[in-house]
Amino acid sequence: GQNIDQPTEMTATEGAIVQINCTYQTSGFNGLFWYQQHAGEAPTFLSYNVLDGLEEKGRFSSFLSRSKGYSYLLLKELQMKDSASYLCAVSGALRSNDYKLSFGAGTTVTVRA
Amino acid sequence: DTEVTQTPKHLVMGMTNKKSLKCEQHMGHRAMYWYKQKAKKPPELMFVYSYEKLSINESVPSRFSPECPNSSLLNLHLHALQPEDSALYLCASSQAVLGMGQETQYFGPGTRLLVL
């Protein structure tokens, strides 16, 4: 089975940094994804990690440690528009034609002025 | 272009109605997905199509019937739904390839469904 854990809620101040952790236990591993979802909207793709280390994309960075089953999403210089739910998802397929993503429950980030 | 479109944006239907949700992508993706999402919950996978064939059905009740008429279109036919089926229905697509992020799923804006 697949088990993906992330905190339910986090609050931070505008301009600050927030780190959202995600731990996973999956039967296979082909990569880890982070999505952002604003209330009432569709998830949008933020980042993908398959190798250990840090991937940086502007204000957002994502880190992966495969041996620890651990990832984090780092949001720097927080802006009010970053208030959203952040979903950690794992591609854990064992079969080559299984493209399912297993999603964590999501972390709601609230940015305060 | 990473656009997936869905129609309608909103739908209100009675429990005896028949309606269809539509999804379209022109990214050349050969895997398409239907998800159901309730408020403050993650998307819940319903169906996966790969090369226009149904490859995964996550034990979805038969009142939901998917259809993939061609490689760009995905429909979800609804019949005799229950009020608890009210949710945001999301369509997504990806390349039908595993590895190196090629299975990244791109989501449409969703259809907000209310069953009365």
Tab-separated table of all heavy atoms in Angstrom, chain A residues 30-31 33 35 37 40-45 48 50 87 91 93 95-101 103-106, chain B residues 31 33 35 37 42-43 45 48 50 56 58 88 90 96-101 103-109 112:
chain	number	residue	atom	x	y	z
A	30	ASN	N	8.902	6.077	-8.267
A	30	ASN	CA	9.353	6.617	-9.550
A	30	ASN	C	9.486	8.127	-9.518
A	30	ASN	O	9.770	8.741	-10.536
A	30	ASN	CB	8.373	6.223	-10.662
A	30	ASN	CG	8.329	4.733	-10.866
A	30	ASN	OD1	9.311	4.105	-11.233
A	30	ASN	ND2	7.190	4.135	-10.585
A	31	GLY	N	9.220	8.720	-8.362
A	31	GLY	CA	9.350	10.163	-8.270
A	31	GLY	C	8.329	10.763	-7.335
A	31	GLY	O	7.313	10.140	-7.012
A	33	PHE	N	6.136	14.387	-6.418
A	33	PHE	CA	5.608	15.613	-7.010
A	33	PHE	C	5.043	16.512	-5.912
A	33	PHE	O	4.505	16.026	-4.919
A	33	PHE	CB	4.461	15.291	-7.979
A	33	PHE	CG	4.849	14.387	-9.115
A	33	PHE	CD1	4.988	13.030	-8.922
A	33	PHE	CD2	5.064	14.903	-10.381
A	33	PHE	CE1	5.342	12.178	-9.965
A	33	PHE	CE2	5.418	14.069	-11.433
A	33	PHE	CZ	5.554	12.713	-11.219
A	35	TYR	N	2.244	19.715	-5.710
A	35	TYR	CA	1.229	20.502	-6.392
A	35	TYR	C	0.729	21.600	-5.442
A	35	TYR	O	0.675	21.409	-4.231
A	35	TYR	CB	0.035	19.631	-6.795
A	35	TYR	CG	0.266	18.743	-7.991
A	35	TYR	CD1	0.878	17.502	-7.853
A	35	TYR	CD2	-0.136	19.143	-9.257
A	35	TYR	CE1	1.085	16.680	-8.951
A	35	TYR	CE2	0.064	18.323	-10.371
A	35	TYR	CZ	0.680	17.099	-10.204
A	35	TYR	OH	0.885	16.292	-11.297
A	37	GLN	N	-2.677	23.988	-4.736
A	37	GLN	CA	-4.096	24.082	-5.066
A	37	GLN	C	-4.735	25.218	-4.276
A	37	GLN	O	-4.852	25.134	-3.051
A	37	GLN	CB	-4.823	22.762	-4.795
A	37	GLN	CG	-6.269	22.772	-5.279
A	37	GLN	CD	-6.959	21.432	-5.146
A	37	GLN	OE1	-6.582	20.614	-4.314
A	37	GLN	NE2	-7.971	21.203	-5.966
A	40	GLY	N	-11.001	25.942	-4.371
A	40	GLY	CA	-11.951	25.918	-5.473
A	40	GLY	C	-11.331	25.808	-6.850
A	40	GLY	O	-12.044	25.861	-7.851
A	41	GLU	N	-9.999	25.662	-6.914
A	41	GLU	CA	-9.334	25.567	-8.206
A	41	GLU	C	-8.661	24.207	-8.371
A	41	GLU	O	-8.621	23.400	-7.454
A	41	GLU	CB	-8.309	26.696	-8.352
A	41	GLU	CG	-8.923	28.086	-8.313
A	41	GLU	CD	-7.908	29.187	-8.507
A	41	GLU	OE1	-6.748	28.896	-8.884
A	41	GLU	OE2	-8.262	30.360	-8.278
A	42	ALA	N	-8.103	23.975	-9.554
A	42	ALA	CA	-7.419	22.712	-9.823
A	42	ALA	C	-6.005	22.727	-9.257
A	42	ALA	O	-5.399	23.795	-9.117
A	42	ALA	CB	-7.364	22.466	-11.326
A	43	PRO	N	-5.459	21.576	-8.932
A	43	PRO	CA	-4.034	21.515	-8.556
A	43	PRO	C	-3.152	21.924	-9.728
A	43	PRO	O	-3.438	21.562	-10.873
A	43	PRO	CB	-3.827	20.032	-8.216
A	43	PRO	CG	-5.183	19.481	-7.967
A	43	PRO	CD	-6.103	20.263	-8.843
A	44	THR	N	-2.095	22.662	-9.423
A	44	THR	CA	-1.117	23.011	-10.460
A	44	THR	C	0.235	22.441	-10.064
A	44	THR	O	0.623	22.485	-8.894
A	44	THR	CB	-1.005	24.533	-10.674
A	44	THR	OG1	-0.715	25.152	-9.425
A	44	THR	CG2	-2.283	25.107	-11.224
A	45	PHE	N	0.945	21.914	-11.029
A	45	PHE	CA	2.218	21.252	-10.817
A	45	PHE	C	3.283	22.269	-10.399
A	45	PHE	O	3.431	23.319	-11.021
A	45	PHE	CB	2.631	20.554	-12.116
A	45	PHE	CG	4.039	20.042	-12.129
A	45	PHE	CD1	4.417	18.988	-11.317
A	45	PHE	CD2	4.985	20.610	-12.964
A	45	PHE	CE1	5.712	18.506	-11.335
A	45	PHE	CE2	6.284	20.140	-12.994
A	45	PHE	CZ	6.646	19.086	-12.179
A	48	TYR	N	9.111	18.320	-9.285
A	48	TYR	CA	9.300	16.881	-9.378
A	48	TYR	C	10.706	16.546	-8.908
A	48	TYR	O	11.669	17.210	-9.299
A	48	TYR	CB	9.120	16.428	-10.831
A	48	TYR	CG	9.543	15.009	-11.111
A	48	TYR	CD1	8.740	13.943	-10.742
A	48	TYR	CD2	10.747	14.739	-11.775
A	48	TYR	CE1	9.116	12.637	-11.016
A	48	TYR	CE2	11.132	13.435	-12.043
A	48	TYR	CZ	10.313	12.395	-11.671
A	48	TYR	OH	10.683	11.099	-11.944
A	50	VAL	N	13.248	13.024	-8.346
A	50	VAL	CA	13.441	11.576	-8.396
A	50	VAL	C	14.817	11.204	-7.841
A	50	VAL	O	15.008	10.101	-7.355
A	50	VAL	CB	13.226	11.016	-9.812
A	50	VAL	CG1	14.323	11.492	-10.755
A	50	VAL	CG2	13.125	9.512	-9.792
A	87	LEU	N	0.028	19.839	-2.015
A	87	LEU	CA	-0.154	18.393	-2.051
A	87	LEU	C	1.151	17.712	-2.427
A	87	LEU	O	1.769	18.044	-3.440
A	87	LEU	CB	-1.221	18.023	-3.087
A	87	LEU	CG	-2.627	18.555	-2.831
A	87	LEU	CD1	-3.442	18.559	-4.111
A	87	LEU	CD2	-3.326	17.727	-1.776
A	91	SER	N	4.686	8.871	-7.266
A	91	SER	CA	4.490	7.871	-8.307
A	91	SER	C	5.154	6.601	-7.793
A	91	SER	O	6.382	6.530	-7.723
A	91	SER	CB	5.130	8.335	-9.619
A	91	SER	OG	5.113	7.300	-10.569
A	93	ALA	N	4.575	3.292	-8.822
A	93	ALA	CA	4.153	2.163	-9.644
A	93	ALA	C	5.148	1.016	-9.612
A	93	ALA	O	6.356	1.223	-9.574
A	93	ALA	CB	3.956	2.621	-11.074
A	95	ARG	N	4.242	-1.510	-11.925
A	95	ARG	CA	4.050	-1.934	-13.315
A	95	ARG	C	4.348	-0.755	-14.231
A	95	ARG	O	4.027	0.388	-13.906
A	95	ARG	CB	2.615	-2.386	-13.549
A	95	ARG	CG	2.225	-3.641	-12.830
A	95	ARG	CD	0.790	-4.051	-13.183
A	95	ARG	NE	-0.206	-3.168	-12.618
A	95	ARG	CZ	-1.025	-2.398	-13.331
A	95	ARG	NH1	-0.954	-2.389	-14.642
A	95	ARG	NH2	-1.920	-1.639	-12.737
A	96	SER	N	4.887	-1.031	-15.398
A	96	SER	CA	5.294	0.051	-16.294
A	96	SER	C	4.118	0.838	-16.835
A	96	SER	O	4.283	1.952	-17.296
A	96	SER	CB	6.117	-0.505	-17.460
A	96	SER	OG	5.321	-1.400	-18.207
A	97	ASN	N	2.898	0.271	-16.798
A	97	ASN	CA	1.755	1.013	-17.338
A	97	ASN	C	0.849	1.544	-16.235
A	97	ASN	O	-0.310	1.812	-16.452
A	97	ASN	CB	0.955	0.128	-18.296
A	97	ASN	CG	0.359	-1.083	-17.588
A	97	ASN	OD1	0.755	-1.397	-16.474
A	97	ASN	ND2	-0.583	-1.743	-18.229
A	98	ASP	N	1.393	1.700	-15.044
A	98	ASP	CA	0.623	2.241	-13.926
A	98	ASP	C	1.108	3.646	-13.628
A	98	ASP	O	2.188	3.829	-13.077
A	98	ASP	CB	0.802	1.336	-12.692
A	98	ASP	CG	-0.002	1.836	-11.500
A	98	ASP	OD1	-0.601	2.939	-11.584
A	98	ASP	OD2	-0.037	1.130	-10.486
A	99	TYR	N	0.324	4.651	-14.036
A	99	TYR	CA	0.761	6.036	-13.893
A	99	TYR	C	0.108	6.724	-12.710
A	99	TYR	O	0.125	7.936	-12.604
A	99	TYR	CB	0.430	6.815	-15.176
A	99	TYR	CG	0.682	6.001	-16.422
A	99	TYR	CD1	-0.372	5.545	-17.194
A	99	TYR	CD2	1.967	5.651	-16.793
A	99	TYR	CE1	-0.157	4.773	-18.319
A	99	TYR	CE2	2.192	4.875	-17.915
A	99	TYR	CZ	1.130	4.435	-18.670
A	99	TYR	OH	1.348	3.665	-19.776
A	100	LYS	N	-0.474	5.950	-11.828
A	100	LYS	CA	-1.186	6.548	-10.688
A	100	LYS	C	-0.261	7.364	-9.828
A	100	LYS	O	0.899	7.014	-9.622
A	100	LYS	CB	-1.759	5.433	-9.802
A	100	LYS	CG	-3.115	4.960	-10.229
A	100	LYS	CD	-3.599	3.748	-9.481
A	100	LYS	CE	-3.308	3.660	-8.034
A	100	LYS	NZ	-4.038	2.514	-7.421
A	101	LEU	N	-0.801	8.453	-9.298
A	101	LEU	CA	-0.124	9.199	-8.246
A	101	LEU	C	-0.887	8.983	-6.953
A	101	LEU	O	-2.113	9.022	-6.941
A	101	LEU	CB	-0.093	10.694	-8.562
A	101	LEU	CG	0.721	11.157	-9.762
A	101	LEU	CD1	0.682	12.678	-9.883
A	101	LEU	CD2	2.161	10.678	-9.660
A	103	PHE	N	-1.666	10.620	-3.444
A	103	PHE	CA	-1.609	11.958	-2.862
A	103	PHE	C	-1.637	11.906	-1.342
A	103	PHE	O	-2.369	11.105	-0.747
A	103	PHE	CB	-2.811	12.787	-3.332
A	103	PHE	CG	-2.688	13.301	-4.735
A	103	PHE	CD1	-3.131	12.534	-5.801
A	103	PHE	CD2	-2.131	14.547	-4.994
A	103	PHE	CE1	-3.022	13.001	-7.107
A	103	PHE	CE2	-2.013	15.021	-6.289
A	103	PHE	CZ	-2.468	14.246	-7.343
A	104	GLY	N	-0.874	12.807	-0.727
A	104	GLY	CA	-1.050	13.068	0.690
A	104	GLY	C	-2.309	13.895	0.875
A	104	GLY	O	-2.931	14.344	-0.093
A	105	ALA	N	-2.687	14.103	2.132
A	105	ALA	CA	-3.945	14.805	2.431
A	105	ALA	C	-3.850	16.305	2.169
A	105	ALA	O	-4.875	16.985	2.134
A	105	ALA	CB	-4.349	14.544	3.878
A	106	GLY	N	-2.634	16.816	1.972
A	106	GLY	CA	-2.478	18.239	1.694
A	106	GLY	C	-2.178	19.053	2.939
A	106	GLY	O	-2.646	18.717	4.037
B	31	ALA	N	-2.474	9.266	-21.507
B	31	ALA	CA	-3.077	8.814	-20.252
B	31	ALA	C	-3.989	9.930	-19.750
B	31	ALA	O	-3.592	11.098	-19.716
B	31	ALA	CB	-2.020	8.492	-19.196
B	33	TYR	N	-7.267	10.893	-16.783
B	33	TYR	CA	-7.721	10.502	-15.447
B	33	TYR	C	-8.978	11.262	-15.052
B	33	TYR	O	-9.138	12.437	-15.403
B	33	TYR	CB	-6.649	10.857	-14.399
B	33	TYR	CG	-5.239	10.418	-14.737
B	33	TYR	CD1	-4.482	11.117	-15.664
B	33	TYR	CD2	-4.663	9.314	-14.108
B	33	TYR	CE1	-3.181	10.731	-15.968
B	33	TYR	CE2	-3.368	8.923	-14.403
B	33	TYR	CZ	-2.637	9.634	-15.337
B	33	TYR	OH	-1.352	9.237	-15.635
B	35	TYR	N	-10.790	12.305	-11.384
B	35	TYR	CA	-10.692	12.361	-9.937
B	35	TYR	C	-11.956	12.988	-9.371
B	35	TYR	O	-12.576	13.846	-9.998
B	35	TYR	CB	-9.528	13.251	-9.498
B	35	TYR	CG	-8.144	12.713	-9.708
B	35	TYR	CD1	-7.470	12.909	-10.917
B	35	TYR	CD2	-7.475	12.036	-8.693
B	35	TYR	CE1	-6.174	12.440	-11.092
B	35	TYR	CE2	-6.180	11.574	-8.857
B	35	TYR	CZ	-5.532	11.775	-10.065
B	35	TYR	OH	-4.252	11.315	-10.241
B	37	GLN	N	-13.026	15.158	-5.862
B	37	GLN	CA	-12.420	15.834	-4.720
B	37	GLN	C	-13.493	16.496	-3.861
B	37	GLN	O	-14.252	17.341	-4.341
B	37	GLN	CB	-11.388	16.876	-5.166
B	37	GLN	CG	-10.606	17.470	-4.002
B	37	GLN	CD	-9.512	18.421	-4.445
B	37	GLN	OE1	-9.604	19.057	-5.488
B	37	GLN	NE2	-8.458	18.538	-3.627
B	42	PRO	N	-7.756	15.497	-0.408
B	42	PRO	CA	-6.987	15.400	-1.659
B	42	PRO	C	-7.842	14.804	-2.769
B	42	PRO	O	-8.886	14.199	-2.487
B	42	PRO	CB	-5.847	14.450	-1.281
B	42	PRO	CG	-6.412	13.602	-0.185
B	42	PRO	CD	-7.349	14.501	0.589
B	43	PRO	N	-7.406	14.950	-4.009
B	43	PRO	CA	-8.131	14.298	-5.117
B	43	PRO	C	-8.115	12.781	-4.927
B	43	PRO	O	-7.111	12.206	-4.520
B	43	PRO	CB	-7.321	14.701	-6.352
B	43	PRO	CG	-6.542	15.889	-5.951
B	43	PRO	CD	-6.255	15.734	-4.498
B	45	LEU	N	-8.653	9.287	-6.883
B	45	LEU	CA	-8.668	8.734	-8.237
B	45	LEU	C	-9.912	7.870	-8.464
B	45	LEU	O	-10.276	7.050	-7.617
B	45	LEU	CB	-7.418	7.893	-8.466
B	45	LEU	CG	-7.237	7.312	-9.861
B	45	LEU	CD1	-7.032	8.420	-10.899
B	45	LEU	CD2	-6.067	6.330	-9.887
B	48	VAL	N	-8.559	5.590	-14.787
B	48	VAL	CA	-7.413	5.930	-15.620
B	48	VAL	C	-7.620	5.294	-16.982
B	48	VAL	O	-7.953	4.106	-17.079
B	48	VAL	CB	-6.076	5.421	-15.032
B	48	VAL	CG1	-4.917	5.829	-15.935
B	48	VAL	CG2	-5.863	5.942	-13.622
B	50	SER	N	-5.536	4.619	-20.589
B	50	SER	CA	-4.232	4.597	-21.206
B	50	SER	C	-4.416	4.162	-22.653
B	50	SER	O	-4.965	3.080	-22.895
B	50	SER	CB	-3.318	3.629	-20.446
B	50	SER	OG	-2.081	3.491	-21.093
B	56	ILE	N	-7.532	1.496	-15.212
B	56	ILE	CA	-7.780	1.432	-13.770
B	56	ILE	C	-9.187	1.946	-13.479
B	56	ILE	O	-9.576	3.007	-13.952
B	56	ILE	CB	-6.748	2.271	-12.972
B	56	ILE	CG1	-5.341	1.701	-13.146
B	56	ILE	CG2	-7.124	2.320	-11.494
B	56	ILE	CD1	-4.257	2.515	-12.469
B	58	GLU	N	-11.117	2.418	-9.915
B	58	GLU	CA	-10.907	2.306	-8.478
B	58	GLU	C	-12.202	1.948	-7.753
B	58	GLU	O	-12.637	2.646	-6.825
B	58	GLU	CB	-10.323	3.611	-7.924
B	58	GLU	CG	-8.924	3.922	-8.402
B	58	GLU	CD	-7.872	3.062	-7.736
B	58	GLU	OE1	-7.764	3.070	-6.499
B	58	GLU	OE2	-7.140	2.369	-8.462
B	88	LEU	N	-16.108	18.276	-6.447
B	88	LEU	CA	-15.388	18.818	-7.606
B	88	LEU	C	-14.834	17.628	-8.379
B	88	LEU	O	-14.131	16.791	-7.795
B	88	LEU	CB	-14.251	19.727	-7.138
B	88	LEU	CG	-13.386	20.385	-8.218
B	88	LEU	CD1	-14.188	21.403	-9.028
B	88	LEU	CD2	-12.162	21.058	-7.582
B	90	LEU	N	-12.391	16.422	-11.220
B	90	LEU	CA	-11.201	16.889	-11.922
B	90	LEU	C	-10.782	15.881	-12.973
B	90	LEU	O	-10.756	14.675	-12.730
B	90	LEU	CB	-10.034	17.070	-10.941
B	90	LEU	CG	-10.175	18.180	-9.906
B	90	LEU	CD1	-9.200	17.960	-8.757
B	90	LEU	CD2	-9.948	19.537	-10.540
B	96	ALA	N	1.945	8.763	-21.233
B	96	ALA	CA	1.789	7.373	-20.793
B	96	ALA	C	3.162	6.730	-20.707
B	96	ALA	O	3.432	5.689	-21.302
B	96	ALA	CB	0.877	6.619	-21.745
B	97	VAL	N	4.034	7.397	-19.939
B	97	VAL	CA	5.413	6.933	-19.787
B	97	VAL	C	5.799	7.147	-18.333
B	97	VAL	O	5.518	8.198	-17.756
B	97	VAL	CB	6.383	7.731	-20.691
B	97	VAL	CG1	7.809	7.260	-20.481
B	97	VAL	CG2	5.980	7.620	-22.142
B	98	LEU	N	6.445	6.149	-17.741
B	98	LEU	CA	6.905	6.292	-16.365
B	98	LEU	C	8.354	6.744	-16.338
B	98	LEU	O	9.164	6.302	-17.132
B	98	LEU	CB	6.826	4.941	-15.646
B	98	LEU	CG	5.561	4.596	-14.895
B	98	LEU	CD1	5.756	3.280	-14.169
B	98	LEU	CD2	5.167	5.689	-13.933
B	99	GLY	N	8.639	7.607	-15.379
B	99	GLY	CA	10.037	7.948	-15.167
B	99	GLY	C	10.403	9.345	-15.611
B	99	GLY	O	9.832	9.874	-16.553
B	100	MET	N	11.337	9.937	-14.895
B	100	MET	CA	11.882	11.268	-15.186
B	100	MET	C	10.804	12.327	-15.266
B	100	MET	O	10.921	13.300	-16.009
B	100	MET	CB	12.715	11.250	-16.474
B	100	MET	CG	13.868	10.275	-16.426
B	100	MET	SD	14.838	10.386	-14.885
B	100	MET	CE	15.539	12.017	-15.025
B	101	GLY	N	9.748	12.129	-14.516
B	101	GLY	CA	8.697	13.137	-14.431
B	101	GLY	C	7.740	13.163	-15.596
B	101	GLY	O	6.870	14.031	-15.667
B	103	GLU	N	5.401	11.289	-16.144
B	103	GLU	CA	4.042	10.990	-15.718
B	103	GLU	C	3.405	12.152	-14.965
B	103	GLU	O	2.355	11.990	-14.341
B	103	GLU	CB	4.028	9.715	-14.866
B	103	GLU	CG	4.732	9.818	-13.511
B	103	GLU	CD	6.225	9.503	-13.581
B	103	GLU	OE1	6.918	10.104	-14.413
B	103	GLU	OE2	6.691	8.678	-12.770
B	104	THR	N	4.032	13.328	-15.010
B	104	THR	CA	3.443	14.520	-14.386
B	104	THR	C	2.042	14.717	-14.920
B	104	THR	O	1.817	14.741	-16.131
B	104	THR	CB	4.282	15.770	-14.692
B	104	THR	OG1	5.598	15.588	-14.183
B	104	THR	CG2	3.652	17.006	-14.056
B	105	GLN	N	1.101	14.850	-13.989
B	105	GLN	CA	-0.289	15.028	-14.382
B	105	GLN	C	-0.644	16.511	-14.386
B	105	GLN	O	-0.285	17.251	-13.472
B	105	GLN	CB	-1.206	14.271	-13.421
B	105	GLN	CG	-1.050	12.767	-13.545
B	105	GLN	CD	-1.993	12.009	-12.646
B	105	GLN	OE1	-3.051	12.504	-12.251
B	105	GLN	NE2	-1.627	10.780	-12.316
B	106	TYR	N	-1.355	16.912	-15.436
B	106	TYR	CA	-1.826	18.292	-15.561
B	106	TYR	C	-3.345	18.265	-15.448
B	106	TYR	O	-4.012	17.493	-16.133
B	106	TYR	CB	-1.366	18.891	-16.893
B	106	TYR	CG	0.129	19.008	-16.958
B	106	TYR	CD1	0.900	17.983	-17.503
B	106	TYR	CD2	0.785	20.115	-16.416
B	106	TYR	CE1	2.283	18.069	-17.518
B	106	TYR	CE2	2.165	20.202	-16.424
B	106	TYR	CZ	2.914	19.170	-16.982
B	106	TYR	OH	4.281	19.247	-16.986
B	107	PHE	N	-3.846	19.096	-14.559
B	107	PHE	CA	-5.261	19.066	-14.220
B	107	PHE	C	-6.055	20.139	-14.953
B	107	PHE	O	-5.568	21.251	-15.182
B	107	PHE	CB	-5.442	19.289	-12.708
B	107	PHE	CG	-5.038	18.108	-11.878
B	107	PHE	CD1	-3.713	17.892	-11.534
B	107	PHE	CD2	-5.995	17.195	-11.430
B	107	PHE	CE1	-3.337	16.800	-10.769
B	107	PHE	CE2	-5.621	16.098	-10.650
B	107	PHE	CZ	-4.303	15.905	-10.328
B	108	GLY	N	-7.291	19.786	-15.267
B	108	GLY	CA	-8.240	20.771	-15.741
B	108	GLY	C	-8.833	21.537	-14.570
B	108	GLY	O	-8.585	21.178	-13.405
B	109	PRO	N	-9.627	22.575	-14.847
B	109	PRO	CA	-10.183	23.426	-13.779
B	109	PRO	C	-11.278	22.753	-12.963
B	109	PRO	O	-11.641	23.242	-11.904
B	109	PRO	CB	-10.729	24.636	-14.537
B	109	PRO	CG	-10.997	24.124	-15.902
B	109	PRO	CD	-9.980	23.077	-16.174
B	112	ARG	N	-17.730	21.616	-10.855
B	112	ARG	CA	-18.316	21.555	-9.508
B	112	ARG	C	-19.739	21.028	-9.636
B	112	ARG	O	-20.588	21.665	-10.253
B	112	ARG	CB	-18.313	22.937	-8.864
B	112	ARG	CG	-18.689	22.877	-7.383
B	112	ARG	CD	-18.185	24.071	-6.590
B	112	ARG	NE	-16.730	24.171	-6.545
B	112	ARG	CZ	-15.939	23.428	-5.786
B	112	ARG	NH1	-16.434	22.496	-5.015
B	112	ARG	NH2	-14.638	23.623	-5.789
